[in-house]
Amino acid sequence: MTAARPSPAPRTRFVRAVTWTVSLLLAFAVVPAAVRPTAARADNPIVQHVYTADPAPLVYNGRVYLYTGHDEDGSTYFTMKDWRVWSSADMVNWTDHGSPLSLATFSWASSDAWAGQAVQRNGRFYWYVPVKNRATGRMAIGVAVSDSPTGPFRDALGHPLVENGEIDPTVFIDDDGQAYLYWGNPNLWYVRLNADMTSYSGSATRIPLTTAGFGTRTGDPDRPTLYEEGPWVYRRNGLYYLVFAAKCCSEFIAYSTAPGPTGPWTYRGTVMPTQGSSFTNHPGIVDFKGGSYFFYHNGALPGGGGFTRSVAVERFSYNADGTIPTIGMTSAGAPQVGTLDPYVRQEAETIAWGSGIETEPAGEGGRDVGWIDDGDFVKVKGVAFGTGASSFTARVSSGSVGGTVELRLGSPSGTLVGRCDVPNTGGWQAWTSVTCPVSGATGTQDLFLRFTGGSGYLLNMDWWRFTPRTTAAAPR
């Protein structure tokens, strides 16, 4: 008899207690009634099994890598101990890469793993983050480095890169190769980074916060402009954009533009109005596969709020004059770019929407989906079955009586095209492969892996793959 699996260390348990329908209703709460999408399209927030915040997207090698903060469950403050990485090739199915960076990475840091950004240069990845310096008690900016976008990351310096008590670093590399680090709350600062990305030339320069440059705030004589925090800087068609969280609290997202990376800045208006059950917000903008995408956070998940936030994304188009349109939060999210190939190995932790599941490090490498109860499911969007699949194989484990993986199309209760039984494998990291026949999986469909069985945790899944149906050769 195998001992019962202990509950996961305090991780997000709220999703297990709510149904698919309730999750959508809560997400809809941030959307005006006129633009409410159908349930089948709901993909925001893009991660449902942990709280995420402060998105920082990076496009690399045909994927978007998304670097986020991690709000602890039930937090009543910005209680954040690590950062997370996710990636997607299609903007809807996101792979969980876990936490390759935490406060423990920086021996000199004591707390506050807050909003950062990762950039790529010369085949290496540099992640700039604000943390509290144990020695001084002030917020400082550290930099971690890795040879992979998913880590692991190590402290590049062993001490802060810059420290003046302010937060929210963002990095921009201009077309001429000069890199700039910006950060600040209540001020806005920049330094010119050297080519090594871990040192800088000159001293920190404070950008003048003028009402012409950053809008007018009323009711706070100490902060006359709208600039609050969370800068995000980029260049498009020769124009420099500085997008930022404005006017706490509650914050909205605004932006300014300039002819150069250090100004002078001109205020351009609102990108995303105040909304979304979180009194903070944080922007991240990238272009990917012909589209422009705006990342932000809100409190749309069950239990969500100002200290338990969730990252979401919207696709948008610039106006003809280069201005950014006003963008509203939706539960539909961005449209899928392309389709997902079911005939190559797909990680189980590649998810468009998950209910009840958790992820964890897998004994065979990477991560697995675990802590699965009866009725939990994973949605994978836009799966291109083509002329049809004949079988399904999954890498699974179970330290209990096991369970069944139901393969359904369209919804958790949709058309059943296959059932794979998972036995007790002798442990939660004792892996085996199971295969079952499939019938009726054709065309491009949303696939739901629905888990059924008795009480308690049923099984873990590491990866899955379908086998295509072979077509007999036509007679001569």
Side-chain angles (χ1 to χ4, degrees):
M1 179 178 178
T2 304
R5 185 172 200 187
S7 295
R11 289 193 282 178
T12 308
R13 307 301 302 151
F14 58 81
V15 178
R16 197 178 303 284
V18 297
T19 65
W20 169 257
T21 301
V22 172
S23 295
L24 297 185
L25 289 174
L26 285 165
F28 288 154
V30 303
V31 188
V35 296
R36 288 183 179 178
T38 62
R41 289 201 57 208
D43 292 299
N44 265 340
I46 63 176
V47 176
Q48 305 86 40
H49 57 278
V50 296
Y51 292 118
T52 55
D54 303 321
L58 167 67
V59 176
Y60 174 72
N61 199 25
R63 295 183 72 85
V64 174
Y65 290 87
L66 182 64
Y67 300 83
T68 74
H70 171 212
D71 287 338
E72 295 292 322
D73 294 359
S75 179
T76 56
Y77 182 64
F78 299 111
T79 306
M80 307 171 77
K81 303 175 183 178
D82 62 2
W83 297 266
R84 300 292 181 106
V85 181
W86 323 82
S87 73
S88 178
D90 60 14
M91 297 305 294
V92 297
N93 297 301
W94 291 89
T95 302
D96 183 349
H97 298 287
S99 173
L101 184 66
S102 71
L103 289 173
T105 305
F106 302 98
S107 62
W108 48 272
S110 61
S111 62
D112 300 340
W114 290 353
Q117 183 190 1
V119 297
Q120 184 270 338
R121 189 167 199 175
N122 300 325
R124 306 188 86 186
F125 299 84
Y126 299 88
W127 199 344
Y128 301 83
V129 294
V131 292
K132 184 170 288 185
N133 186 340
R134 179 181 293 106
T136 65
R138 297 195 306 172
M139 293 301 293
I141 309 301
V143 56
V145 63
S146 175
D147 294 327
S148 165
T150 59
F153 285 80
R154 61 175 178 83
D155 185 355
L157 296 174
H159 56 80
L161 172 62
V162 293
E163 179 178 348
N164 63 2
E166 300 195 37
I167 60 174
D168 290 1
T170 187
V171 172
F172 163 66
I173 303 174
D174 208 346
D175 291 350
D176 62 3
Q178 178 62 60
Y180 299 83
L181 171 72
Y182 305 80
W183 77 101
N185 177 348
N187 300 294
L188 178 58
W189 303 82
Y190 77 89
V191 293
R192 289 180 171 86
L193 293 173
N194 295 325
D196 62 10
M197 302 299 286
T198 60
S199 63
Y200 58 89
S201 299
S203 58
T205 300
R206 190 166 70 179
I207 294 173
L209 292 178
T210 65
T211 55
F214 296 92
T216 301
R217 183 187 311 218
T218 58
D220 188 348
D222 295 327
R223 299 191 74 156
T225 78
L226 293 172
Y227 176 82
E228 185 73 27
E229 59 187 354
W232 183 269
V233 178
Y234 64 100
R235 179 178 178 177
R236 179 180 182 271
N237 294 338
L239 186 65
Y240 295 81
Y241 293 73
L242 197 163
V243 188
F244 56 92
K247 193 185 178 182
C248 185
C249 289
S250 294
E251 293 175 345
F252 66 98
I253 303 299
Y255 79 111
S256 303
T257 61
T262 62
W265 298 97
T266 299
Y267 182 65
R268 296 299 183 186
T270 297
V271 176
M272 176 171 278
T274 299
Q275 57 194 288
S277 303
S278 169
F279 60 85
T280 66
N281 204 343
H282 190 99
I285 296 179
V286 291
D287 288 341
F288 179 65
K289 294 185 177 180
S292 298
Y293 296 89
F294 178 77
F295 290 82
Y296 59 96
H297 67 229
N298 59 28
L301 286 180
F307 303 115
T308 44
R309 299 160 292 179
S310 295
V311 169
V313 63
E314 310 293 342
R315 183 171 178 168
F316 74 98
S317 296
Y318 289 88
N319 297 319
D321 61 359
T323 55
I324 302 174
T326 301
I327 301 169
M329 298 182 185
T330 76
S331 60
Q336 188 169 8
V337 183
T339 56
L340 184 137
D341 184 355
Y343 302 122
V344 299
R345 169 173 163 162
Q346 296 289 347
E347 298 302 314
E349 64 274 16
T350 297
I351 300 169
W353 192 279
S355 177
I357 59 93
E358 306 277 352
T359 69
E360 64 182 353
E364 295 186 335
R367 297 183 74 77
D368 66 67
V369 171
W371 315 102
I372 294 168
D373 288 313
D374 177 60
D376 292 348
F377 67 83
V378 165
K379 171 190 174 184
V380 187
K381 190 171 183 179
V383 179
F385 291 107
T387 58
S390 63
S391 65
F392 172 83
T393 299
R395 191 70 170 168
V396 294
S397 67
S398 177
S400 67
V401 296
T404 300
V405 183
E406 296 181 351
L407 310 175
R408 294 186 176 270
L409 303 180
S411 76
S413 58
T415 302
L416 180 67
V417 297
R419 290 169 55 95
C420 267
D421 292 327
V422 178
N424 181 321
T425 64
W428 295 107
Q429 292 296 321
W431 295 97
T432 190
S433 297
V434 296
T435 299
C436 56
V438 173
S439 177
T442 61
T444 298
Q445 308 269 0
D446 290 349
L447 170 68
F448 288 76
L449 307 176
R450 185 172 184 267
F451 308 103
T452 62
S455 61
Y457 298 125
L458 304 178
L459 59 99
N460 291 353
M461 183 181 289
D462 188 9
W463 54 262
W464 57 265
R465 178 176 56 233
F466 285 82
T467 300
R469 184 175 60 200
T470 58
T471 302
R476 292 185 177 183

